[in-house]
Amino acid sequence: MGGCCCCCSSKETVLSAPPAYYYQYPRASEEHVPLSSHPGAASAFSGRLLVDTNLDTSSPDTYRPPPAPIPFNVTLGTTQTPPAAQEIRSDKNNTSLPSTNSNAIQEPVARDIHGTSAKLEEPKESECKVQTDLELDSAKGSEIELAKSGKPIDLVEEEDACPICLEEYDAENPKLATNCDHHFHLACILEWMERSETCPVCDQDLVFDPPIE
Amino acid sequence: MANSNLPRRIIKETQRLLSEPAPGISASPSEDNMRYFNVMILGPTQSPYEGGVFKLELFLPEEYPMAAPKVRFLTKIYHPNIDKLGRICLDILKDKWSPALGIRTVLLRYICLSSFTLVDVYLKRPIHFLKKCSKHQSAFQYQPVHGFYKM
């Protein structure tokens, strides 16, 4: 509800400047109500806010608001997406049912941990998300690779797609694996190695078993 | 003209942003420039910015995904890591960028969740934070004050 009201006011500001005053002023007054101990200061602040409103109307001239964001409450729904994806996998590979169940159980916990802990681990989680999305897009589940890997994380990582260009691997552009078990196109990783010597996914030093040279 | 040379990765990311919207963020490309995105972010729940709606702009430079996207707050906000021009002090947008990250990851995980919760450092000193708000709130469109009383 609140979000919708804010979006309406933002659209009004795009249309014309005078309505912007009317729509943004009530918000300012509402925000000052908790500061009942400073009634005089509130009026002064509201005056200055009007000045800021002029400044704000200048930037939205080039800004076209996107559709309203989904509230965070729907986050509960998004947690159901990974199990759905894994159910798709289980439909294709009946033999891998237990491993997919372990995926469903472990991934939400892992995300919570990563969300609250060090930033160094976040790239890994982002990589898992990217590959999960790719899985949804391609709807592919190569049975051979699923059978090879027993670990849930490896299941996600075995998706045939370069994390850098998001394209799949083929004969002309083969997969190139690193010692930290991450894979890229040769061209993609060479271009990245011109800028950094760390793995784009896990930030470890880039080392290849058959060294590139 | 410029859109005809758009890398496939940007096309894929744009399609995913539009087809699978993430909670709390909304991004759509500009009609004139497919590398320029209009972004809107909701203030995370249980943070001083809860209830706020923030406009941002995001631009993908020529070197992307080898170089980080450029992100800036258009809505003025009082935040220790965001300056008055809306520039965000965030390591993954500078020297810690990785091509494995994407628009969605940058917006949702780093800006929307991680950056906003950095305010926790100030919330451990509530009186200090309240003074900061009182000093600066007149210059900002959104003051994280009412959320403060929920602590």
Side-chain angles (χ1 to χ4, degrees), chain B residues 90-118:
Chain B
L90 188 56
D91 55 357
I92 59 104
L93 291 179
K94 299 180 177 180
D95 56 325
K96 288 293 185 181
W97 167 254
S98 160
L101 306 175
I103 301 171
R104 185 193 181 104
T105 309
V106 167
L107 291 177
L108 181 58
R109 173 165 291 105
Y110 290 98
I111 293 179
C112 194
L113 297 180
S114 298
S115 285
F116 273 124
T117 52
L118 284 175

Side-chain angles (χ1 to χ4, degrees), chain A residues 6 31 45 48-49 52 56 63-64 66-67 69-70 72 122 126 134 137 163-164 166-167 188 192 195 200, chain B residues 8-9 12 16 23-24 26 28 31 38-39 55-56 66 74 97-99 105 110 137-138 140-141 143:
Chain A
C6 296
E31 288 171 352
F45 292 155
R48 295 181 183 179
L49 283 176
D52 291 329
D56 290 331
Y63 181 86
R64 297 177 182 179
I70 298 174
F72 288 102
E122 288 174 352
S126 64
L134 286 175
D137 291 343
I164 296 177
L166 308 184
E167 298 288 339
C188 296
W192 173 247
R195 301 163 179 264
Chain B
R8 288 197 59 182
R9 163 164 174 156
K12 284 192 173 183
R16 187 176 303 160
S26 176
S28 61
E31 296 175 358
N38 298 298
V39 182
K55 304 173 187 174
L56 292 85
M66 294 300 164
L74 297 176
W97 167 254
S98 160
T105 309
Y110 290 98
Q137 62 186 347
S138 60
F140 299 102
Q141 179 178 344
Q143 300 90 27

Side-chain angles (χ1 to χ4, degrees), chain A residues 8 10 17-18 26 43 62-63 68 78 81 98 107-108 111 113 120 127 141 148 171 181 183 186 190:
Chain A
C8 295
S10 64
S43 61
T62 58
Y63 181 86
T78 55
T81 309
E107 282 189 3
R111 289 180 185 178
I113 296 172
L120 291 178
E127 189 245 357
K148 285 182 180 178
D181 289 333
H183 44 80
L186 177 61
L190 284 179

Side-chain angles (χ1 to χ4, degrees), chain B:
Chain B
M1 295 298 292
N3 293 340
S4 62
N5 295 327
L6 206 65
R8 288 197 59 182
R9 163 164 174 156
I10 294 179
I11 296 174
K12 284 192 173 183
E13 285 205 69
T14 305
Q15 289 173 353
R16 187 176 303 160
L17 274 171
L18 299 177
S19 61
E20 306 171 16
I25 64 171
S26 176
S28 61
S30 169
E31 296 175 358
D32 305 326
N33 187 354
M34 291 293 290
R35 288 178 174 270
Y36 181 90
F37 288 77
N38 298 298
V39 182
M40 191 176 289
I41 287 183
L42 301 179
T45 56
Q46 299 181 5
S47 80
Y49 303 91
E50 184 177 2
V53 177
F54 304 94
K55 304 173 187 174
L56 292 85
E57 61 181 5
L58 182 147
F59 177 72
L60 306 175
E62 192 67 26
E63 298 83 18
Y64 182 84
M66 294 300 164
K70 301 181 185 304
V71 193
R72 187 174 76 90
F73 270 80
L74 297 176
T75 302
K76 292 183 186 298
I77 176 176
Y78 176 70
H79 189 288
N81 294 86
I82 301 169
D83 67 9
K84 290 188 175 181
L85 298 179
R87 294 173 299 195
I88 306 166
C89 181
L90 188 56
D91 55 357
I92 59 104
L93 291 179
K94 299 180 177 180
D95 56 325
K96 288 293 185 181
W97 167 254
S98 160
L101 306 175
I103 301 171
R104 185 193 181 104
T105 309
V106 167
L107 291 177
L108 181 58
R109 173 165 291 105
Y110 290 98
I111 293 179
C112 194
L113 297 180
S114 298
S115 285
F116 273 124
T117 52
L118 284 175
V119 178
D120 289 343
V121 177
Y122 280 81
L123 291 179
K124 293 178 180 176
R125 297 174 290 172
I127 295 176
H128 177 68
F129 182 68
L130 184 59
K131 286 182 178 177
K132 282 269 185 178
C133 293
S134 302
K135 183 177 180 182
H136 294 282
Q137 62 186 347
S138 60
F140 299 102
Q141 179 178 344
Y142 181 78
Q143 300 90 27
V145 176
H146 65 264
F148 177 76
Y149 292 98
K150 297 183 179 179
M151 304 295 295

Side-chain angles (χ1 to χ4, degrees), chain A residues 53-116:
Chain A
T53 304
N54 289 330
L55 297 177
D56 290 331
T57 51
S58 61
S59 59
D61 289 345
T62 58
Y63 181 86
R64 297 177 182 179
I70 298 174
F72 288 102
N73 297 329
V74 188
T75 307
L76 297 177
T78 55
T79 55
Q80 297 173 359
T81 309
Q86 288 156 8
E87 287 174 0
I88 296 174
R89 285 194 232 171
S90 62
D91 291 340
K92 294 184 177 179
N93 306 306
N94 295 324
T95 57
S96 63
L97 277 172
S99 62
T100 55
N101 289 332
S102 63
N103 268 336
I105 296 170
Q106 291 179 8
E107 282 189 3
V109 176
R111 289 180 185 178
D112 291 339
I113 296 172
H114 288 303
T116 56

Side-chain angles (χ1 to χ4, degrees), chain A residues 13-32:
Chain A
T13 56
V14 173
L15 292 176
S16 59
Y21 281 92
Y22 292 98
Y23 279 93
Q24 291 185 7
Y25 183 78
R27 291 173 62 188
S29 63
E30 288 175 1
E31 288 171 352
H32 286 297

